[in-house]
């Protein structure tokens, strides 16, 4: 069964304290892995797509990496405005274009 | 370019009442999704449309939920009658090609 597990569930960081969020996945052939940011009361906002192991994407203080079993979202020198829930989703290559979401990591960055 | 538009943003109803949510996807996006998101959880698929055809509705509770996408553009999700457990955020998303999803702000439903 296709599955996505994110850890930790919640993370508190001091401003400037770098860390990583994990997304482990089990899928019958990966078509793509997606990272989203979700602010309270808002819909998820697209951040990155990764397609193959070894691929990396960067945007400001965020860097996403992908292996055959997991993805990491590295946050370098975070700021309070980076506080949000970060969701990971995978799309299987089984032809259904179904996206399977994890439960997210709630990040709080303290000033 | 306008994003995915949903309405209403908030709805409070008594149980057993009907409710409807509307979604206008990004122009040119042929694929439209309705997701349900409970507090602290990731989005869960309810239904996916390719143009006006519902191609994946296996997770839609068809005894009380219905959806339509007339003319392959706007879509409506209806619940009748609503139950307490339907309280959640209903998210609409659209996609062009095979890439990422673009989400609306969501419709938050509270059933009393």
């Amino acid at each position: 069964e296709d599955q996505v597990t994110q850890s930790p569930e919640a993370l508190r960081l001091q401003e400037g304290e770098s860390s990583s969020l994990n997304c482990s996945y089990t899928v019958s052939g990966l078509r793509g892995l997606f990272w989203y940011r979700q602010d309270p009361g808002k819909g998820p906002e697209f951040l990155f797509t990764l397609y193959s192991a070894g691929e990396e994407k960067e945007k400001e203080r965020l860097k996403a990496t992908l292996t055959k079993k997991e993805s990491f979202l590295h946050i370098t020198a975070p700021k309070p405005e980076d506080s949000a829930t970060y969701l990971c989703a995978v799309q299987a290559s089984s032809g259904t274009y179904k996206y399977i979401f994890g439960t997210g990591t709630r990040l709080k960055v303290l000033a | 370019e306008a994003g995915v538009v949903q309405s209403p943003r908030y709805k409070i109803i008594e149980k057993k009442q009907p409710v409807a949510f509307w979604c206008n996807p990004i122009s040119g996006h042929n694929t439209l999704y309705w997701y349900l998101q409970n507090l602290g959880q990731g989005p869960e698929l309810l239904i996916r449309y390719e143009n006006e055809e519902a191609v994946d509705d296996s997770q839609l509770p068809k005894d009380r939920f219905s959806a339509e996408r007339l003319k392959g553009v706007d879509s409506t999700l209806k619940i009748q009658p609503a139950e307490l457990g339907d309280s959640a955020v209903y998210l609409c998303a659209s996609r062009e090609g095979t890439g990422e999803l673009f989400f609306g702000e969501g419709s938050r439903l509270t059933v009393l």
Side-chain angles (χ1 to χ4, degrees):
Chain A
E1 181 183 347
D2 299 334
Q3 194 169 6
V4 175
T5 303
Q6 292 189 246
S7 62
E9 288 186 10
L11 182 62
R12 291 166 67 93
L13 298 173
Q14 293 292 326
E15 184 173 4
E17 180 186 3
S18 302
S19 188
S20 297
L21 314 183
N22 178 263
C23 172
S24 298
Y25 63 90
T26 303
V27 65
S28 52
L30 180 69
R31 185 188 297 272
L33 185 142
F34 306 86
W35 281 99
Y36 288 86
R37 169 189 172 128
Q38 187 171 26
D39 292 298
K42 303 286 189 180
E45 176 187 352
F46 170 72
L47 292 173
F48 303 109
T49 307
L50 301 167
Y51 292 105
S52 57
E55 189 175 359
E56 299 182 352
K57 293 275 181 75
E58 286 189 69
K59 179 180 179 180
E60 296 181 354
R61 295 177 292 281
L62 301 177
K63 178 180 177 180
T65 62
L66 181 65
T67 72
K68 289 185 177 180
K69 294 182 178 181
E70 59 191 348
S71 177
F72 291 94
L73 184 65
H74 307 278
I75 304 177
T76 302
K79 297 182 178 181
E81 53 262 41
D82 295 322
S83 298
T85 294
Y86 291 85
L87 293 166
C88 169
V90 298
Q91 187 185 32
S93 58
S94 59
T96 64
Y97 295 107
K98 185 175 182 178
Y99 298 77
I100 303 160
F101 283 83
T103 54
T105 293
R106 296 188 310 278
L107 174 66
K108 178 72 172 178
V109 181
L110 305 172
Chain B
E1 181 181 328
V4 177
V5 179
Q6 291 188 245
S7 68
R9 288 293 317 280
Y10 306 93
K11 189 74 174 179
I12 301 174
I13 61 172
E14 299 281 337
K15 64 181 180 182
K16 301 185 180 179
Q17 294 299 306
V19 64
F21 304 112
W22 174 82
C23 174
N24 179 244
I26 293 173
S27 177
H29 284 196
N30 296 327
T31 309
L32 184 147
Y33 298 75
W34 282 103
Y35 282 90
L36 177 151
Q37 187 176 28
N38 288 303
L39 188 64
Q41 300 296 313
E44 299 173 28
L45 179 67
L46 290 173
I47 190 168
R48 173 171 68 94
Y49 282 93
E50 294 291 344
N51 296 302
E52 65 273 12
E53 182 182 359
V55 295
D56 186 353
D57 63 355
S58 57
Q59 302 302 311
L60 189 72
K62 298 182 182 63
D63 57 335
R64 298 182 300 105
F65 286 66
S66 65
E68 61 182 9
R69 191 184 183 195
L70 299 177
K71 301 181 181 179
V73 181
D74 295 0
S75 179
T76 302
L77 177 70
K78 298 178 181 179
I79 308 174
Q80 183 172 14
E83 296 180 351
L84 295 176
D86 296 332
S87 295
V89 176
Y90 292 84
L91 293 165
C92 179
S94 68
R95 173 176 57 80
E96 179 184 34
T98 60
E100 62 274 12
L101 299 178
F102 292 89
F103 285 87
E105 300 277 76
S107 294
R108 180 178 297 276
L109 173 65
T110 301
V111 182
L112 303 177

